[in-house]
Amino acid sequence: MKKKFPLALIFIAVLLFFSACIKDTDFNQTDAIEITPIIELDFLFSNITSQTFTDIGINNLVLSDTTNFNFLNDEFTVDNLERAEFYFKNTNSMPVDFEMKFQFLDDNNEEHYLISIPIISGELNNPVISEHIENIETDGIISLTMANKVVLSIEASSSVDNLEGTLKLQSKTTYYLKIIQ
Amino acid sequence: MKYLLIYFGMFWGFSMISQNKEVLYGLEEVPQSMLLNPGARINYSKHIGIPFLSQIHVNGGSSGVSVYDIFQESSTNINDRIRSKIFELKNTDFFTATQQIDVLNFGWKSKKEIYFSGGVYQELDFVLYFPRDLAILAWEGNANYIDKEFDLGEISTTGDLLMVYHFGVNKKINNKFTLGLRGKIYSSMLSFRSVNNRGSFATRISETDNNIYEHIINNADLTVNTSGIASLSELDGSSQVMSKVLGRAFFGGNLGVGVDIGATYEINEQWTASASVLDVGAIFHKKDVESYKVDGEYTLDGIELLFPPLGSGELTPTYYDDLVDEIENEFPIDTITSSYTQMRPVKTYASVKYNFGKAIGGSGACNCLKMGENQEYNQAVGFQYYSMFRPKGPQMAATLFYYRRFSNYLSVKATYTADSYSFTNIGLGLVANFGKVNFYIIANNLLWYENIAKAKSVSLQLGFNLIFAE
């Protein structure tokens, strides 16, 4: 009769263990998990003088250069980029206005997005800062993430031959990501 | 991702705490208590564990967060709860998972009153420290953290799957003192570790004025040691991987040696002290070793366009590809195949207990069943200390316990433990003997059993042995 005592207790103990439960929780909330980092990343920079124009030719008014930007159309960016905000800062100490264009192209050189920035003339001892913010979202993001290279063109409003001063470009992009399952 | 998170949550909920076995320690009716103190008192002549069933132990832990903290039914947004926890946790918080299965366990008392015991058990041990800075960077990005140095050295994790062959001796030196020693041979099946890393990542306003920012990886030095893992990538399918890993269980892996030592001192009839040090040893990883090391420094400030004059047919410079190449050259991944030695995580137990209650085997000042030995009592209270060395320092626990022997058939031990996980850990162990069959079941964090999602740790041990009385 005595041996039934521990048997009953053991039975209760094992039952107790299996009675443990998880409640007041909702694992379907994983559907609502959104990781939304905001990433600041330098973009393009350059520092040009009149010599940069004349290296191409006397009275040359246009500079152009191209770089790949492969991560713009990679799968992660296409899936998760919600918004991109480009910030451009041009410091001009040349007495000439410029027009700066950023063309976002794909492999077939088809343009998907264009940013145009007017740059005001400055003076050697009194450089003028031109700032531009380009906020891209919704359809703009779809277009932007179809591109994988950037062409930067700078067009002077008049000849820059033998002018002193520089045109300094600094830029960054703020990427707003939204990562969901 | 959803199913991965649910699986992780369930695993978390069901199998959590560290390697501390506070209930089993000192529970002398269970032969497996000798694995925690080779110098434990032994009151039987021999034992045989039921193969694969003499000890099944799963545990693990999260020192700073429970499943409920994240997945509770609540009006608050789950993303707010995750963010809140990321900032609340410290880089010394950790996640652990351990598991043990006794394959064989046996012992016998010789004519010279030495108790020999041995066996084989499989062990899994994993720890991951919470890389707080990297979690903040991943969750928030760097935009609101200009000038903050994110610490890459917070990456700290180890994992081991091994088989342990052990043989020990236990001798009651005199009426007061019992001493035990256990030798171990480790056969590592899989192992990885990434500790003692350093370096930082920061975004700061440019000091050179080249561009707006400078993104700086400073003084990076990251290493991952692996053994038994590299060769698995060449195998085809999970059955081949399983076969290869299991093959290492029988001395086919990287071998190591270790020792456990322990003692029990019966100060007087009422007071008993004991202590043990476990897994003092190392594994020598020589076979199938691959270590990966990355070090370097780099400052990124975007892509500089140079507008070079180009002739007909000339291509523009490959700025982007050059940048990628430059970064890869700055951080080459060195693959090292030289052997390395891994110290086992040393565990320490210490205990003092006060015996009281009804005398067992007689009454008064003598033990009438074991003449000349101290009287035993059916109840005890005491204090236990536990520590385990981990990469960022010891994990410690303090336990108060109450032990009661109801009869020859049934003993119970209840514990209250304060550790890195919580201050509300109540454990309970029950040992029953049916003739020669010895059964035990131990669980902790019972306060949370009503809803273990709220527990930061839960563990379970159970097993069957055959015990032959003296």
Side-chain angles (χ1 to χ4, degrees):
Chain A
M1 196 56 197
K2 275 183 180 176
K3 289 192 180 184
K4 287 183 180 173
F5 174 59
L7 258 178
L9 260 184
I10 291 161
F11 183 70
I12 291 166
V14 173
L15 261 186
L16 268 178
F17 168 71
F18 287 108
S19 71
C21 65
I22 292 179
K23 62 183 184 183
D24 303 328
T25 53
D26 176 11
F27 291 106
N28 287 326
Q29 291 177 88
T30 52
D31 294 338
I33 293 177
E34 292 177 354
I35 304 172
T36 53
I38 305 170
I39 296 167
E40 291 274 344
L41 193 59
D42 276 326
F43 188 47
L44 305 177
F45 68 100
S46 67
N47 200 356
I48 60 176
T49 62
S50 65
Q51 184 69 43
T52 319
F53 284 87
T54 52
D55 281 347
I56 293 169
I58 302 297
N59 293 325
N60 173 43
L61 298 178
V62 178
L63 288 176
S64 179
D65 206 350
T66 305
T67 179
N68 285 342
F69 238 80
N70 296 350
F71 77 80
L72 273 181
N73 73 340
D74 77 20
E75 192 178 344
F76 179 82
T77 312
V78 170
D79 289 347
N80 300 301
L81 185 61
E82 282 277 294
R83 178 183 155 204
E85 186 180 277
F86 287 85
Y87 168 75
F88 301 96
K89 178 183 177 186
N90 279 289
T91 307
N92 187 9
S93 59
M94 288 196 278
V96 177
D97 291 340
F98 293 93
E99 178 77 17
M100 187 174 274
K101 286 183 180 172
F102 295 85
Q103 293 173 279
F104 293 83
L105 312 180
D106 64 17
D107 277 333
N108 300 317
N109 291 327
E110 185 181 342
E111 183 181 295
H112 290 281
Y113 201 88
L114 173 67
I115 300 172
S116 291
I117 305 171
I119 298 167
I120 302 166
S121 61
E123 295 171 18
L124 190 59
N125 297 320
N126 187 22
V128 172
I129 294 173
S130 303
E131 292 178 293
H132 179 85
I133 293 173
E134 184 83 9
N135 183 43
I136 305 172
E137 47 194 327
T138 57
D139 290 346
I141 283 294
I142 294 170
S143 299
L144 185 73
T145 54
M146 292 168 81
N148 63 357
K149 59 183 167 186
V150 181
V151 177
L152 170 56
S153 307
I154 302 170
E155 185 173 354
S157 59
S158 59
S159 174
V160 295
D161 290 359
N162 300 317
L163 290 178
E164 288 190 280
T166 60
L167 173 61
K168 182 182 179 75
L169 163 69
Q170 296 168 301
S171 64
K172 70 176 177 83
T173 315
T174 310
Y175 297 98
Y176 295 83
L177 299 174
K178 185 175 179 180
I179 303 165
I180 55 177
Q181 64 169 309
Chain B
M1 186 168 89
K2 174 180 172 182
Y3 294 104
L4 186 70
L5 280 167
I6 289 175
Y7 177 80
F8 180 67
M10 297 298 280
F11 170 78
W12 197 350
F14 279 115
S15 63
M16 293 283 141
I17 195 188
S18 74
Q19 282 201 0
N20 187 9
K21 296 176 181 172
E22 70 274 21
V23 184
L24 184 59
Y25 183 85
L27 203 52
E28 292 163 353
E29 294 90 335
V30 180
Q32 280 70 26
S33 68
M34 274 188 287
L35 292 174
L36 304 181
N37 181 4
R41 295 189 318 171
I42 297 167
N43 293 316
Y44 40 84
S45 63
K46 61 182 170 183
H47 78 272
I48 301 170
I50 307 296
F52 295 97
L53 292 177
S54 55
Q55 181 173 220
I56 297 168
H57 177 222
V58 286
N59 65 29
S62 154
S63 63
V65 60
S66 70
V67 171
Y68 184 82
D69 290 337
I70 303 300
F71 292 103
Q72 62 185 270
E73 287 177 338
S74 164
S75 57
T76 60
N77 187 290
I78 187 171
N79 296 298
D80 295 336
R81 296 197 294 270
I82 293 172
R83 185 181 186 280
S84 165
K85 273 294 162 189
I86 286 173
F87 282 89
E88 190 181 304
L89 291 171
K90 301 182 289 294
N91 63 6
T92 48
D93 279 309
F94 52 84
F95 302 87
T96 65
T98 61
Q99 164 267 332
Q100 270 187 9
I101 292 177
D102 249 359
V103 178
L104 287 174
N105 195 311
F106 55 86
W108 74 96
K109 189 172 280 185
S110 72
K111 288 177 183 171
K112 292 185 178 177
E113 295 291 307
I114 296 173
Y115 198 90
F116 295 101
S117 63
V120 183
Y121 65 86
Q122 171 267 321
E123 179 176 311
L124 169 75
D125 181 26
F126 167 79
V127 63
L128 168 70
Y129 281 90
F130 181 64
R132 184 175 184 272
D133 275 7
L134 296 184
I136 291 171
L137 184 60
W139 190 263
E140 300 266 295
N142 64 343
N144 295 318
Y145 299 92
I146 304 303
D147 287 335
K148 175 178 169 56
E149 292 204 354
F150 292 93
D151 185 2
L152 305 177
E154 289 181 346
I155 299 168
S156 186
T157 180
T158 67
D160 286 284
L161 177 65
L162 67 157
M163 198 68 93
V164 182
Y165 297 82
H166 59 90
F167 191 81
V169 293
N170 174 295
K171 169 74 176 169
K172 186 158 188 167
I173 307 294
N174 55 42
N175 285 343
K176 289 181 177 293
F177 193 58
T178 305
L179 184 65
L181 189 68
R182 182 173 306 282
K184 290 178 168 175
I185 296 174
Y186 307 108
S187 183
S188 171
M189 294 186 273
L190 298 170
S191 177
F192 69 87
R193 60 193 285 106
S194 181
V195 297
N196 300 325
N197 295 305
R198 61 188 166 89
S200 66
F201 167 75
T203 299
R204 70 180 183 202
I205 300 297
S206 176
E207 291 181 355
T208 62
D209 203 34
N210 279 341
N211 207 342
I212 308 290
Y213 294 125
E214 289 169 341
H215 310 282
I216 302 165
I217 292 178
N218 192 33
N219 205 19
D221 188 356
L222 309 172
T223 304
V224 181
N225 301 122
T226 74
S227 91
I229 294 173
S231 64
L232 301 182
S233 61
E234 299 159 7
L235 301 179
D236 185 22
S238 57
S239 60
Q240 280 193 16
V241 170
M242 190 70 78
S243 170
K244 175 116 181 172
V245 171
L246 287 177
R248 294 172 182 153
F250 304 100
F251 300 108
N254 287 293
L255 299 180
V257 293
V259 65
D260 300 346
I261 187 166
T264 302
Y265 185 68
E266 295 167 65
I267 301 164
N268 56 38
E269 269 188 30
Q270 264 73 43
W271 290 95
T272 305
S274 69
S276 64
V277 182
L278 310 177
D279 281 326
V280 181
I283 298 175
F284 309 103
H285 294 279
K286 294 178 177 175
K287 292 186 278 189
D288 198 10
V289 170
E290 276 201 3
S291 299
Y292 310 99
K293 183 176 175 62
V294 177
D295 58 4
E297 299 190 344
Y298 191 74
T299 300
L300 171 72
D301 51 11
I303 293 175
E304 181 178 16
L305 298 185
L306 301 171
F307 303 96
L310 298 174
S312 176
E314 275 190 272
L315 297 174
T316 54
T318 53
Y319 298 108
Y320 187 89
D321 294 338
D322 291 349
L323 176 66
V324 171
D325 290 345
E326 191 176 302
I327 293 171
E328 286 177 355
N329 289 336
E330 284 298 320
F331 298 103
I333 299 174
D334 294 330
T335 303
I336 303 158
T337 55
S338 52
S339 58
Y340 66 95
T341 299
Q342 172 201 4
M343 301 306 293
R344 293 285 295 147
V346 175
K347 295 144 212 152
T348 305
Y349 283 95
S351 165
V352 59
K353 73 174 177 180
Y354 175 75
N355 305 294
F356 65 98
K358 190 175 147 190
I360 297 172
S363 60
C366 77
N367 181 343
C368 300
L369 293 181
K370 297 176 183 174
M371 295 301 287
E373 298 196 7
N374 278 338
Q375 179 62 54
E376 293 179 15
Y377 294 92
N378 73 333
Q379 296 179 67
V381 291
F383 171 80
Q384 287 172 200
Y385 165 82
Y386 167 80
S387 77
M388 177 181 186
F389 280 95
R390 287 297 198 184
K392 289 191 177 180
Q395 293 171 3
M396 292 180 282
T399 298
L400 297 172
F401 68 86
Y402 170 70
Y403 166 85
R404 179 152 190 159
R405 183 169 169 178
F406 287 100
S407 70
N408 287 335
Y409 312 112
L410 182 69
S411 304
V412 168
K413 181 179 176 184
T415 59
Y416 165 76
T417 299
D419 56 23
S420 309
Y421 305 98
S422 75
F423 293 98
T424 55
N425 184 355
I426 303 290
L428 187 67
L430 183 151
V431 187
N433 293 300
F434 312 97
K436 291 182 173 53
V437 177
N438 166 266
F439 168 75
Y440 66 97
I441 184 165
I442 294 167
N444 67 15
N445 261 301
L446 298 176
L447 290 180
W448 301 110
Y449 256 47
E450 181 231 1
N451 184 3
I452 58 173
K454 291 184 178 177
K456 290 181 180 137
S457 64
V458 176
S459 90
L460 172 73
Q461 296 162 80
L462 58 88
F464 295 89
N465 299 284
L466 298 176
I467 288 184
F468 302 87
E470 289 188 287

PDB file of all heavy atoms in Angstrom, chain B residues 96-117:
ATOM      1  N   THR B  96      21.719  31.180 -23.893  1.00  0.00           N
ATOM      2  CA  THR B  96      22.446  29.911 -23.836  1.00  0.00           C
ATOM      3  C   THR B  96      21.490  28.764 -24.118  1.00  0.00           C
ATOM      4  O   THR B  96      20.283  28.860 -23.895  1.00  0.00           O
ATOM      5  CB  THR B  96      23.096  29.653 -22.460  1.00  0.00           C
ATOM      6  OG1 THR B  96      22.061  29.500 -21.487  1.00  0.00           O
ATOM      7  CG2 THR B  96      24.027  30.752 -22.060  1.00  0.00           C
ATOM      8  N   ALA B  97      22.041  27.677 -24.598  1.00  0.00           N
ATOM      9  CA  ALA B  97      21.279  26.439 -24.748  1.00  0.00           C
ATOM     10  C   ALA B  97      22.240  25.296 -24.460  1.00  0.00           C
ATOM     11  O   ALA B  97      23.364  25.286 -24.970  1.00  0.00           O
ATOM     12  CB  ALA B  97      20.721  26.309 -26.150  1.00  0.00           C
ATOM     13  N   THR B  98      21.839  24.397 -23.594  1.00  0.00           N
ATOM     14  CA  THR B  98      22.656  23.218 -23.344  1.00  0.00           C
ATOM     15  C   THR B  98      21.742  21.999 -23.298  1.00  0.00           C
ATOM     16  O   THR B  98      20.543  22.114 -23.028  1.00  0.00           O
ATOM     17  CB  THR B  98      23.437  23.296 -22.011  1.00  0.00           C
ATOM     18  OG1 THR B  98      22.492  23.391 -20.956  1.00  0.00           O
ATOM     19  CG2 THR B  98      24.358  24.480 -21.976  1.00  0.00           C
ATOM     20  N   GLN B  99      22.332  20.877 -23.585  1.00  0.00           N
ATOM     21  CA  GLN B  99      21.551  19.645 -23.610  1.00  0.00           C
ATOM     22  C   GLN B  99      22.517  18.502 -23.334  1.00  0.00           C
ATOM     23  O   GLN B  99      23.674  18.548 -23.756  1.00  0.00           O
ATOM     24  CB  GLN B  99      20.875  19.535 -24.991  1.00  0.00           C
ATOM     25  CG  GLN B  99      20.326  18.188 -25.381  1.00  0.00           C
ATOM     26  CD  GLN B  99      21.348  17.387 -26.163  1.00  0.00           C
ATOM     27  OE1 GLN B  99      22.202  17.938 -26.836  1.00  0.00           O
ATOM     28  NE2 GLN B  99      21.278  16.080 -26.056  1.00  0.00           N
ATOM     29  N   GLN B 100      22.032  17.527 -22.570  1.00  0.00           N
ATOM     30  CA  GLN B 100      22.873  16.346 -22.276  1.00  0.00           C
ATOM     31  C   GLN B 100      22.020  15.095 -22.354  1.00  0.00           C
ATOM     32  O   GLN B 100      20.864  15.095 -21.914  1.00  0.00           O
ATOM     33  CB  GLN B 100      23.448  16.420 -20.863  1.00  0.00           C
ATOM     34  CG  GLN B 100      24.784  17.113 -20.771  1.00  0.00           C
ATOM     35  CD  GLN B 100      25.383  17.015 -19.373  1.00  0.00           C
ATOM     36  OE1 GLN B 100      24.870  16.296 -18.520  1.00  0.00           O
ATOM     37  NE2 GLN B 100      26.454  17.734 -19.143  1.00  0.00           N
ATOM     38  N   ILE B 101      22.600  14.039 -22.873  1.00  0.00           N
ATOM     39  CA  ILE B 101      21.954  12.723 -22.816  1.00  0.00           C
ATOM     40  C   ILE B 101      23.005  11.726 -22.354  1.00  0.00           C
ATOM     41  O   ILE B 101      24.081  11.624 -22.953  1.00  0.00           O
ATOM     42  CB  ILE B 101      21.402  12.293 -24.191  1.00  0.00           C
ATOM     43  CG1 ILE B 101      20.231  13.185 -24.590  1.00  0.00           C
ATOM     44  CG2 ILE B 101      20.958  10.832 -24.165  1.00  0.00           C
ATOM     45  CD1 ILE B 101      19.658  12.880 -25.954  1.00  0.00           C
ATOM     46  N   ASP B 102      22.688  11.026 -21.275  1.00  0.00           N
ATOM     47  CA  ASP B 102      23.555   9.945 -20.819  1.00  0.00           C
ATOM     48  C   ASP B 102      23.384   8.759 -21.748  1.00  0.00           C
ATOM     49  O   ASP B 102      22.286   8.214 -21.881  1.00  0.00           O
ATOM     50  CB  ASP B 102      23.110   9.509 -19.417  1.00  0.00           C
ATOM     51  CG  ASP B 102      24.125   9.891 -18.370  1.00  0.00           C
ATOM     52  OD1 ASP B 102      25.173  10.461 -18.713  1.00  0.00           O
ATOM     53  OD2 ASP B 102      23.854   9.620 -17.182  1.00  0.00           O
ATOM     54  N   VAL B 103      24.449   8.366 -22.384  1.00  0.00           N
ATOM     55  CA  VAL B 103      24.383   7.160 -23.216  1.00  0.00           C
ATOM     56  C   VAL B 103      24.567   5.938 -22.322  1.00  0.00           C
ATOM     57  O   VAL B 103      23.797   4.978 -22.379  1.00  0.00           O
ATOM     58  CB  VAL B 103      25.470   7.198 -24.315  1.00  0.00           C
ATOM     59  CG1 VAL B 103      25.445   5.934 -25.157  1.00  0.00           C
ATOM     60  CG2 VAL B 103      25.264   8.432 -25.194  1.00  0.00           C
ATOM     61  N   LEU B 104      25.584   5.988 -21.500  1.00  0.00           N
ATOM     62  CA  LEU B 104      25.850   4.910 -20.536  1.00  0.00           C
ATOM     63  C   LEU B 104      26.221   5.541 -19.209  1.00  0.00           C
ATOM     64  O   LEU B 104      26.869   6.596 -19.173  1.00  0.00           O
ATOM     65  CB  LEU B 104      27.041   4.049 -20.992  1.00  0.00           C
ATOM     66  CG  LEU B 104      26.844   3.092 -22.158  1.00  0.00           C
ATOM     67  CD1 LEU B 104      28.175   2.474 -22.525  1.00  0.00           C
ATOM     68  CD2 LEU B 104      25.825   2.020 -21.795  1.00  0.00           C
ATOM     69  N   ASN B 105      25.837   4.865 -18.133  1.00  0.00           N
ATOM     70  CA  ASN B 105      26.243   5.339 -16.818  1.00  0.00           C
ATOM     71  C   ASN B 105      26.196   4.143 -15.864  1.00  0.00           C
ATOM     72  O   ASN B 105      25.181   3.458 -15.780  1.00  0.00           O
ATOM     73  CB  ASN B 105      25.301   6.454 -16.342  1.00  0.00           C
ATOM     74  CG  ASN B 105      25.892   7.217 -15.170  1.00  0.00           C
ATOM     75  OD1 ASN B 105      26.351   6.619 -14.200  1.00  0.00           O
ATOM     76  ND2 ASN B 105      25.875   8.534 -15.271  1.00  0.00           N
ATOM     77  N   PHE B 106      27.301   3.889 -15.235  1.00  0.00           N
ATOM     78  CA  PHE B 106      27.352   2.713 -14.358  1.00  0.00           C
ATOM     79  C   PHE B 106      28.349   2.964 -13.221  1.00  0.00           C
ATOM     80  O   PHE B 106      29.181   3.879 -13.303  1.00  0.00           O
ATOM     81  CB  PHE B 106      27.782   1.459 -15.144  1.00  0.00           C
ATOM     82  CG  PHE B 106      29.087   1.650 -15.877  1.00  0.00           C
ATOM     83  CD1 PHE B 106      30.305   1.432 -15.244  1.00  0.00           C
ATOM     84  CD2 PHE B 106      29.079   2.087 -17.193  1.00  0.00           C
ATOM     85  CE1 PHE B 106      31.499   1.635 -15.913  1.00  0.00           C
ATOM     86  CE2 PHE B 106      30.281   2.295 -17.875  1.00  0.00           C
ATOM     87  CZ  PHE B 106      31.481   2.066 -17.225  1.00  0.00           C
ATOM     88  N   GLY B 107      28.241   2.137 -12.192  1.00  0.00           N
ATOM     89  CA  GLY B 107      29.192   2.261 -11.092  1.00  0.00           C
ATOM     90  C   GLY B 107      29.075   1.092 -10.133  1.00  0.00           C
ATOM     91  O   GLY B 107      28.051   0.405 -10.101  1.00  0.00           O
ATOM     92  N   TRP B 108      30.146   0.848  -9.391  1.00  0.00           N
ATOM     93  CA  TRP B 108      30.129  -0.232  -8.416  1.00  0.00           C
ATOM     94  C   TRP B 108      31.122   0.070  -7.298  1.00  0.00           C
ATOM     95  O   TRP B 108      32.090   0.785  -7.496  1.00  0.00           O
ATOM     96  CB  TRP B 108      30.455  -1.569  -9.090  1.00  0.00           C
ATOM     97  CG  TRP B 108      31.915  -1.707  -9.454  1.00  0.00           C
ATOM     98  CD1 TRP B 108      32.886  -2.318  -8.729  1.00  0.00           C
ATOM     99  CD2 TRP B 108      32.572  -1.188 -10.628  1.00  0.00           C
ATOM    100  NE1 TRP B 108      34.103  -2.232  -9.367  1.00  0.00           N
ATOM    101  CE2 TRP B 108      33.936  -1.544 -10.536  1.00  0.00           C
ATOM    102  CE3 TRP B 108      32.131  -0.462 -11.743  1.00  0.00           C
ATOM    103  CZ2 TRP B 108      34.860  -1.204 -11.519  1.00  0.00           C
ATOM    104  CZ3 TRP B 108      33.067  -0.125 -12.728  1.00  0.00           C
ATOM    105  CH2 TRP B 108      34.404  -0.491 -12.597  1.00  0.00           C
ATOM    106  N   LYS B 109      30.839  -0.522  -6.160  1.00  0.00           N
ATOM    107  CA  LYS B 109      31.733  -0.344  -5.004  1.00  0.00           C
ATOM    108  C   LYS B 109      32.643  -1.552  -4.899  1.00  0.00           C
ATOM    109  O   LYS B 109      32.176  -2.703  -4.931  1.00  0.00           O
ATOM    110  CB  LYS B 109      30.912  -0.165  -3.729  1.00  0.00           C
ATOM    111  CG  LYS B 109      31.760   0.231  -2.533  1.00  0.00           C
ATOM    112  CD  LYS B 109      30.901   0.601  -1.331  1.00  0.00           C
ATOM    113  CE  LYS B 109      30.370   2.012  -1.440  1.00  0.00           C
ATOM    114  NZ  LYS B 109      29.634   2.431  -0.238  1.00  0.00           N
ATOM    115  N   SER B 110      33.931  -1.294  -4.818  1.00  0.00           N
ATOM    116  CA  SER B 110      34.887  -2.399  -4.738  1.00  0.00           C
ATOM    117  C   SER B 110      34.983  -2.899  -3.297  1.00  0.00           C
ATOM    118  O   SER B 110      34.422  -2.299  -2.374  1.00  0.00           O
ATOM    119  CB  SER B 110      36.260  -1.919  -5.211  1.00  0.00           C
ATOM    120  OG  SER B 110      36.809  -1.047  -4.226  1.00  0.00           O
ATOM    121  N   LYS B 111      35.733  -3.973  -3.138  1.00  0.00           N
ATOM    122  CA  LYS B 111      35.904  -4.513  -1.793  1.00  0.00           C
ATOM    123  C   LYS B 111      36.661  -3.544  -0.892  1.00  0.00           C
ATOM    124  O   LYS B 111      36.565  -3.602   0.322  1.00  0.00           O
ATOM    125  CB  LYS B 111      36.664  -5.844  -1.880  1.00  0.00           C
ATOM    126  CG  LYS B 111      35.796  -6.956  -2.457  1.00  0.00           C
ATOM    127  CD  LYS B 111      36.586  -8.238  -2.610  1.00  0.00           C
ATOM    128  CE  LYS B 111      35.698  -9.302  -3.271  1.00  0.00           C
ATOM    129  NZ  LYS B 111      36.465 -10.497  -3.642  1.00  0.00           N
ATOM    130  N   LYS B 112      37.433  -2.655  -1.524  1.00  0.00           N
ATOM    131  CA  LYS B 112      38.178  -1.668  -0.731  1.00  0.00           C
ATOM    132  C   LYS B 112      37.358  -0.395  -0.517  1.00  0.00           C
ATOM    133  O   LYS B 112      37.908   0.675  -0.206  1.00  0.00           O
ATOM    134  CB  LYS B 112      39.490  -1.330  -1.430  1.00  0.00           C
ATOM    135  CG  LYS B 112      40.460  -2.497  -1.442  1.00  0.00           C
ATOM    136  CD  LYS B 112      41.783  -2.090  -2.040  1.00  0.00           C
ATOM    137  CE  LYS B 112      42.747  -3.267  -1.985  1.00  0.00           C
ATOM    138  NZ  LYS B 112      44.034  -2.949  -2.620  1.00  0.00           N
ATOM    139  N   GLU B 113      36.061  -0.511  -0.695  1.00  0.00           N
ATOM    140  CA  GLU B 113      35.133   0.593  -0.429  1.00  0.00           C
ATOM    141  C   GLU B 113      35.406   1.799  -1.321  1.00  0.00           C
ATOM    142  O   GLU B 113      35.159   2.941  -0.937  1.00  0.00           O
ATOM    143  CB  GLU B 113      35.203   1.028   1.050  1.00  0.00           C
ATOM    144  CG  GLU B 113      34.724  -0.036   2.012  1.00  0.00           C
ATOM    145  CD  GLU B 113      33.228  -0.291   1.911  1.00  0.00           C
ATOM    146  OE1 GLU B 113      32.460   0.671   2.000  1.00  0.00           O
ATOM    147  OE2 GLU B 113      32.856  -1.464   1.698  1.00  0.00           O
ATOM    148  N   ILE B 114      35.934   1.533  -2.494  1.00  0.00           N
ATOM    149  CA  ILE B 114      36.070   2.615  -3.484  1.00  0.00           C
ATOM    150  C   ILE B 114      34.935   2.454  -4.493  1.00  0.00           C
ATOM    151  O   ILE B 114      34.701   1.352  -5.000  1.00  0.00           O
ATOM    152  CB  ILE B 114      37.429   2.542  -4.216  1.00  0.00           C
ATOM    153  CG1 ILE B 114      38.568   2.754  -3.232  1.00  0.00           C
ATOM    154  CG2 ILE B 114      37.496   3.586  -5.328  1.00  0.00           C
ATOM    155  CD1 ILE B 114      39.944   2.537  -3.830  1.00  0.00           C
ATOM    156  N   TYR B 115      34.240   3.547  -4.713  1.00  0.00           N
ATOM    157  CA  TYR B 115      33.152   3.474  -5.685  1.00  0.00           C
ATOM    158  C   TYR B 115      33.687   3.952  -7.046  1.00  0.00           C
ATOM    159  O   TYR B 115      34.090   5.106  -7.209  1.00  0.00           O
ATOM    160  CB  TYR B 115      31.963   4.348  -5.265  1.00  0.00           C
ATOM    161  CG  TYR B 115      30.693   3.959  -5.990  1.00  0.00           C
ATOM    162  CD1 TYR B 115      29.835   2.987  -5.458  1.00  0.00           C
ATOM    163  CD2 TYR B 115      30.361   4.524  -7.215  1.00  0.00           C
ATOM    164  CE1 TYR B 115      28.684   2.609  -6.125  1.00  0.00           C
ATOM    165  CE2 TYR B 115      29.214   4.141  -7.886  1.00  0.00           C
ATOM    166  CZ  TYR B 115      28.385   3.187  -7.336  1.00  0.00           C
ATOM    167  OH  TYR B 115      27.247   2.791  -8.008  1.00  0.00           O
ATOM    168  N   PHE B 116      33.699   3.015  -7.993  1.00  0.00           N
ATOM    169  CA  PHE B 116      34.118   3.362  -9.355  1.00  0.00           C
ATOM    170  C   PHE B 116      32.868   3.663 -10.174  1.00  0.00           C
ATOM    171  O   PHE B 116      31.850   2.971 -10.059  1.00  0.00           O
ATOM    172  CB  PHE B 116      34.858   2.184 -10.000  1.00  0.00           C
ATOM    173  CG  PHE B 116      36.151   1.848  -9.314  1.00  0.00           C
ATOM    174  CD1 PHE B 116      36.232   0.778  -8.431  1.00  0.00           C
ATOM    175  CD2 PHE B 116      37.294   2.605  -9.556  1.00  0.00           C
ATOM    176  CE1 PHE B 116      37.428   0.470  -7.795  1.00  0.00           C
ATOM    177  CE2 PHE B 116      38.491   2.291  -8.925  1.00  0.00           C
ATOM    178  CZ  PHE B 116      38.549   1.235  -8.032  1.00  0.00           C
ATOM    179  N   SER B 117      32.950   4.677 -11.001  1.00  0.00           N
ATOM    180  CA  SER B 117      31.809   4.957 -11.871  1.00  0.00           C
ATOM    181  C   SER B 117      32.323   5.469 -13.211  1.00  0.00           C
ATOM    182  O   SER B 117      33.412   6.044 -13.300  1.00  0.00           O
ATOM    183  CB  SER B 117      30.882   5.999 -11.235  1.00  0.00           C
ATOM    184  OG  SER B 117      31.557   7.223 -11.070  1.00  0.00           O
TER     185      SER B 117
END
